[in-house]
Amino acid sequence: MNIVACLHAPPPDPDGTGLGRDDIHALAQALALAEATSGQVTALLAGTSHESGPLQRALVAGAARAVRLGGEDYASVDFHTLGQALASGIKRIGADLVVAGARSDDEGLGAVPASAARHLGFAYIGNVEELAAAGPRAIEVVVRGGGRKRRLRVDLPAVIAIVPATSGLPPASDRTGNPSEVELLTLNDPETTVVRRRTELLGKPEPASRGTEEVKAASELIAALTR
């Protein structure tokens, strides 16, 4: 099973683990599932070379690969853009399962995994506390919601947003380190690095263009947006 663990660059924290918010739990779950299925984990982060600390931490924890998605200043983009960029990188890498911390942005919106799932066309399950293999193309997840837990079978491919279990997880630092270097994956296609509102609101792809059109009425604007 090929598992991609999406990480994000947290604010500087000299005394922290180098991983942001729920990311350490997502990485630990991904590593445990990969070990149980003889699979491998690829850690993925969109950011600059100065923000690659979480990827190095993932290699130390036991990830088989660490890939940094370059090509844009992702610190200033919204979750739509970040989700689309991560989805483009995941398509290049190849994945059966994508895991991410539910609070995988600095605002704590938890929308990045859902955005990535949309652009990948994968099933999306949020508020997941535990993962387990349930066959060659399926996993079993424990989801918390409404004050109770539910156990669900999820067919792959899928994107899973991980939240910390109340019982806690073993720290990823207990695993064997990987001496590999962080790889760089650059997205050169402007359509995969810039998300426009028309694409997000209407779900229709818009070719990269700098052309403009003048409209003089609301009806003309609606007609232009829906063409």
Side-chain angles (χ1 to χ4, degrees):
M1 182 183 296
N2 292 322
I3 305 171
V4 172
C6 293
L7 308 176
H8 86 290
D13 181 8
D15 299 323
T17 63
L19 294 169
R21 301 202 177 185
D22 297 345
D23 288 359
I24 189 169
H25 299 277
L27 180 60
Q29 290 279 9
L31 290 169
L33 183 61
E35 184 176 356
T37 60
S38 299
Q40 69 171 23
V41 174
T42 298
L44 176 65
L45 179 145
T48 67
S49 59
H50 300 292
E51 299 172 320
S52 61
L55 292 175
Q56 296 166 346
R57 188 73 174 80
L59 288 173
V60 171
R65 297 175 63 193
V67 178
R68 179 174 65 83
L69 197 61
E72 188 163 334
D73 180 11
Y74 294 106
S76 61
V77 302
D78 61 16
F79 66 85
H80 295 291
T81 308
L82 184 54
Q84 187 181 24
L86 288 172
S88 298
I90 292 165
K91 289 176 183 177
R92 298 269 293 274
I93 295 170
D96 302 305
L97 175 66
V98 179
V99 300
R103 294 174 294 177
S104 51
D105 50 80
D106 292 339
E107 291 78 21
L109 298 176
V112 174
S115 175
R118 174 188 173 186
H119 291 290
L120 287 166
F122 287 9
Y124 171 73
I125 308 294
N127 295 323
V128 172
E129 292 187 349
E130 300 175 26
L131 300 175
R137 298 293 300 171
I139 59 172
E140 190 175 81
V141 302
V142 175
V143 180
R144 176 179 291 274
R148 61 178 182 173
K149 292 184 178 182
R150 293 176 294 167
R151 193 173 296 273
L152 306 174
R153 178 185 173 94
V154 179
D155 292 330
L156 301 179
V159 176
I160 304 297
I162 301 291
V163 295
T166 54
S167 59
L169 293 171
S173 57
D174 287 347
R175 300 176 185 274
T176 303
N178 182 347
S180 300
E181 297 293 330
V182 173
E183 305 169 33
L184 174 63
L185 177 61
T186 302
L187 300 179
N188 295 318
D189 181 0
E191 189 64 19
T192 63
T193 57
V194 178
V195 175
R196 295 168 175 81
R197 289 300 135 200
R198 179 169 179 250
T199 303
E200 288 305 318
L201 294 176
L202 303 179
K204 296 180 180 180
E206 178 185 14
S209 172
R210 295 186 180 182
T212 60
E213 179 179 348
E214 183 178 350
V215 296
K216 297 182 179 180
S219 59
E220 294 178 3
L221 175 61
I222 294 173
L225 288 173
T226 55
R227 278 203 294 270

